[in-house]
Amino acid sequence: MELLTDPNIWIAFFMLAALEIVLGIDNIIFISILVGRLPPEKRDLARRLGLGFAMVSRIALLFSLAWVMTLTSPIFTVAAQAISGRDLILLGGGLFLLYKASHEIFLEVEAHEAKEVSAGVDHVKTGASMFWGTIVQIGIVDIVFSLDSVITAVGMVDQIGVMVAAVIASVAVMMFAAKPIGEFVDKHPSIKVLALAFLTMVGTLLVAEAFDIHVPKAYVYTAMLFSLGVEALNIRARSKRLAARTS
């Protein structure tokens, strides 16, 4: 009861939950893009499983803090650069994100027509494998984002109960936001390409972080918000031109 009546605890909870939501934006975008390739009737289930896995992985890492902290200890050295377990995870996750985002950009920009022609065949042949393949890919990136999120949480709050509550609250908010974000991204191809470019930047940041090159994420978010603002104006202009033609 003392924790519930302590205003400092509530302040820490809301700050950490807000930070978890911000850190989860890239996760939501990644999930939305992958889920967009599934049949419509399976997308909600895939979103829930993906975000559920994100919550479970974060909470599991919080309850194994002693192990997580050992990940920051150097394992070996390459060219005077100490490499830790966390660095290897960030490097692997960053490279995977770079590959996946680049591949999706290629499919969206270069192979769009071929993809549309073969879409029905792909769904028939690989419906189940595509679904679980998507979940596995979401799980891989969830672990990378969870590691960064948990290390941030440990630096902000001491009480593990507050950390767990903040993670659950942030994932609940993301579950409500994931569907409209996914539908909006899927409806506007130009926004989808922008989102993939954002994931490419995040992957680059993860690789840089693995080599102790720290770039504030605020720079990436500012660039992305500016690009989204410009694209919102383009969408509005296109809508006006379309309305003028049809009137």
Side-chain angles (χ1 to χ4, degrees), residues 10-245:
W10 284 103
I11 291 169
F13 166 77
F14 285 115
M15 285 181 63
L16 185 54
L19 184 62
E20 291 286 334
I21 292 168
V22 171
L23 290 174
I25 289 172
D26 37 22
N27 207 355
I28 290 177
I29 292 173
F30 183 77
I31 290 173
S32 298
I33 289 169
L34 285 186
V35 165
R37 299 217 172 273
L38 295 174
E41 66 274 11
K42 292 186 177 181
R43 291 176 187 174
D44 283 342
L45 177 60
R47 283 191 197 97
R48 288 195 293 270
L49 285 175
L51 287 169
F53 189 90
M55 182 174 70
V56 170
S57 59
R58 279 167 169 78
I59 292 173
L61 286 173
L62 284 172
F63 280 104
S64 56
L65 287 179
W67 175 75
V68 171
M69 289 301 101
T70 63
L71 291 176
T72 58
S73 302
I75 299 175
F76 56 88
T77 303
V78 177
Q81 174 72 43
I83 305 295
S84 66
R86 175 178 175 270
D87 294 334
L88 291 175
I89 292 173
L90 291 177
L91 178 61
L95 291 175
F96 175 77
L97 209 55
L98 282 171
Y99 161 75
K100 192 62 188 174
S102 302
H103 180 64
E104 290 290 330
I105 288 173
F106 170 77
L107 290 178
E108 193 64 30
V109 176
E110 297 293 338
H112 197 65
E113 290 182 9
K115 179 196 69 175
E116 286 183 343
V117 170
S118 64
V121 177
D122 289 344
H123 284 320
V124 171
K125 287 184 177 179
T126 61
S129 61
M130 183 185 293
F131 178 82
W132 290 111
T134 298
I135 298 301
V136 168
Q137 291 178 63
I138 290 171
I140 291 170
V141 175
D142 276 344
I143 291 170
V144 178
F145 288 148
S146 295
L147 185 68
D148 227 21
S149 174
V150 167
I151 290 173
T152 302
V154 172
M156 287 184 64
V157 182
D158 294 327
Q159 295 87 354
I160 193 166
V162 176
M163 296 181 201
V164 172
V167 166
I168 293 172
S170 65
V171 171
V173 171
M174 287 190 286
M175 280 188 174
F176 281 107
K179 185 174 181 178
I181 289 174
E183 290 175 347
F184 182 76
V185 167
D186 205 43
K187 185 179 177 182
H188 299 282
S190 56
I191 293 289
K192 188 173 183 179
V193 173
L194 266 180
L196 288 166
F198 170 65
L199 289 176
T200 304
M201 286 194 290
V202 172
T204 304
L205 253 64
L206 289 174
V207 172
E209 191 79 19
F211 293 99
D212 292 331
I213 301 171
H214 305 290
V215 180
K217 265 193 174 182
Y219 293 154
V220 179
Y221 291 139
T222 301
M224 192 62 191
L225 283 172
F226 177 78
S227 302
L228 283 173
V230 172
E231 188 54 34
L233 292 174
N234 284 332
I235 290 172
R236 183 177 173 81
R238 284 197 297 267
S239 300
K240 283 190 171 183
R241 285 197 297 270
L242 183 62
R245 288 197 199 103

